[in-house]
Amino acid sequence: MSRRGWTLFLAMSVIWGIPYLLIKVAVGELSPVLVVFGRCVVGAVLLLPWALAAGWLRPALRHWRALLLFAALEMTVPWLLLSYAEQSLSSSLTGLLVATTPFVAALVGRIAGDEDRLTAVRLLGMALGVVGIVALLGLDVSGAQLLPIVAVAIVVVGYATGPMVVSRALPEVPGVAASALALTVTAVVYAPFAVPQLDRAVHAPARALLSVVGLGVVCTALALALFFLLIREVGPQRALVITFVNPAVAVVLGVLLLDEPFTLGIALGLPLVLVGCLLATRRSMPRPADAVDAPVP
């Protein structure tokens, strides 16, 4: 990847590793539906005026079908299903299932005729990433039920195909405008379930409310704007390799900020995740058949 690509990749890896910490604080006082609604509203309030002032909304609305599809694949459906699944699945199993997203993205890209080849080196990198996540989080399958696992599987498919919608159907739509509209749609969908609970938010502790604000500002508004740039810089498949790094960042933050223990699994898992990311994001070399023959002197 280019230097700009690596900068965006590292930024997204850190930014989307933070939500685990903030959500853990927020859901201690607020329902998952209210937390999701809050982060969507905060994100939309920040991005909509920006997109409107820049004159991006009207051109973006011409692609409303693709925008609705992106919102459904990346936000509306996954966030609801994840909230449902995590009521019975362990966080480690959920994290491991979500980490399969790059594999699904590679498969979807292959079916859709993506030109970016999935080499043996990149496959090895993905496998190392998954092994690293198992070392980091462990693997707790107790209480695993079929329906929650199916719910997470649907989430993975959505996360894998959403960036492809961006690269194929929304190449000219600014990420700020697309994100603002997708967040607004998601907030409207969640509103009937969240609005009746707003009185609970009024009496929630400041730490929970600040966590929701942080989710909306940093992990939603800023993150989505950068995510569009990352997809367009490195492609949808490589962009999704951040799903390996996000849990690693969350674990490190837990050790540094929540006094969680630094275990042998973390010591082994972090290097595996980092090496896996380096290999999984390697740019494919052109096939010999695709190379242009050098002119004969």
Side-chain angles (χ1 to χ4, degrees):
M1 290 194 295
S2 64
R3 181 177 299 177
R4 183 170 185 263
W6 274 115
T7 301
L8 290 169
F9 183 90
L10 293 174
M12 286 303 307
S13 297
V14 173
I15 289 173
W16 270 349
I18 296 174
Y20 296 90
L21 175 65
L22 297 180
I23 290 173
K24 185 172 184 178
V25 175
V27 297
E29 305 292 340
L30 304 170
S31 70
V33 168
L34 199 54
V35 171
V36 172
F37 176 73
R39 71 183 293 189
C40 287
V41 169
V42 171
V45 166
L46 289 174
L47 295 183
L48 272 176
W50 182 1
L52 188 61
W56 293 334
L57 281 185
R58 182 173 294 180
L61 286 171
R62 297 171 187 164
H63 306 273
W64 63 271
R65 292 183 181 85
L67 286 170
L68 286 178
L69 180 60
F70 170 74
L73 292 172
E74 284 287 337
M75 303 175 198
T76 314
V77 175
W79 291 352
L80 179 61
L81 290 180
L82 277 178
S83 298
Y84 160 72
E86 290 196 72
Q87 291 177 339
S88 57
L89 297 182
S90 66
S91 58
S92 61
L93 180 57
T94 304
L96 180 60
L97 292 173
V98 173
T100 62
T101 300
F103 291 97
V104 178
L107 177 62
V108 172
R110 183 69 176 270
I111 295 173
D114 199 326
E115 295 180 358
D116 193 7
R117 294 188 298 119
L118 188 62
T119 63
V121 172
R122 290 181 59 199
L123 275 173
L124 175 62
M126 292 181 187
L128 285 176
V130 170
V131 172
I133 290 173
V134 172
L136 283 168
L137 303 179
L139 182 58
D140 179 11
V141 296
S142 60
Q145 301 174 12
L146 179 60
L147 285 180
I149 291 177
V150 171
V152 179
I154 295 173
V155 170
V156 169
V157 173
Y159 283 169
T161 53
M164 188 171 293
V165 173
V166 173
S167 63
R168 289 173 176 255
L170 302 170
E172 300 176 358
V173 177
V176 171
S179 300
L181 292 171
L183 288 170
T184 302
V185 169
T186 304
V188 169
V189 171
Y190 275 81
F193 309 98
V195 170
Q197 304 179 37
L198 288 178
D199 57 335
R200 184 178 178 183
V202 173
H203 303 288
R207 64 179 182 275
L209 297 178
L210 289 175
S211 295
V212 173
V213 172
L215 283 169
V217 174
V218 179
C219 307
T220 302
L222 175 61
L224 285 171
L226 293 178
F227 191 46
F228 271 74
L229 295 177
L230 178 63
I231 292 170
R232 288 162 180 165
E233 179 71 21
V234 305
Q237 292 184 28
R238 287 183 178 82
L240 289 171
V241 176
I242 60 173
T243 57
F244 294 150
V245 189
N246 298 154
V249 172
V251 168
V252 171
L253 289 176
V255 172
L256 296 177
L257 302 179
L258 299 179
D259 295 325
E260 295 178 352
F262 185 85
T263 63
L264 178 61
I266 296 176
L268 295 175
L270 282 175
L272 286 174
V273 167
L274 295 177
V275 172
C277 286
L278 287 173
L279 296 178
T281 54
R282 284 189 62 178
R283 187 163 297 280
S284 305
M285 297 298 292
R287 293 186 181 93
D290 297 335
V292 178
D293 294 334
V296 179

